[in-house]
């Protein structure tokens, strides 16, 4: 295994360990049917579930699939709670591209939650 593949696999393994420990569901939909994925994500969030992994967020020709969506207190279109984006990285420090990724996901999620 070359160095780049080793680093990528290390990141995937790190994410899998964290997600497995949480036990949060992933929306179910046919591969690449992003509309169905977004609807399945919205349906899960509307129940008030503690969190969702790999939720699908759509908006004006944009697609985002954040690692985690975590329920927090505060009003939204769903009720007396809303969701915040979480992204799992194995790096020691957040990089600017990672921060921008979370901001992008957060903007899509904000539109969904009003």
């Amino acid at each position: 295994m070359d160095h780049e593949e080793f680093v990528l696999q290390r990141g995937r393994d790190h994410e899998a360990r964290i997600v497995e420990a949480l036990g949060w569901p992933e929306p179910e939909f046919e591969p690449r049917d992003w509309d169905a994925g977004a609807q399945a994500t919205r349906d899960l969030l509307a129940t008030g579930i503690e969190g969702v992994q790999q939720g699908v967020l759509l908006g004006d020709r944009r697609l985002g699939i954040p690692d985690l969506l975590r329920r927090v207190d505060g009003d939204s279109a769903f009720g007396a709670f809303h969701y915040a984006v979480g992204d799992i990285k194995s790096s020691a420090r957040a990089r600017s591209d990672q921060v921008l990724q979370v901001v992008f996901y957060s903007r899509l999620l904000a539109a969904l939650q009003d």
Side-chain angles (χ1 to χ4, degrees), residues 54-59 62-66 104-105 108:
Q54 300 298 310
V56 177
L57 303 173
L58 290 178
R62 290 173 174 77
L63 166 68
I65 304 176
F104 173 74
Y105 294 153
L108 290 173

Side-chain angles (χ1 to χ4, degrees), residues 1-13:
M1 178 182 316
D2 69 11
H3 179 70
E4 184 177 351
E5 180 55 33
F6 172 79
V7 171
L8 291 172
Q9 187 60 49
R10 181 174 169 261
R12 288 189 293 265
D13 292 346

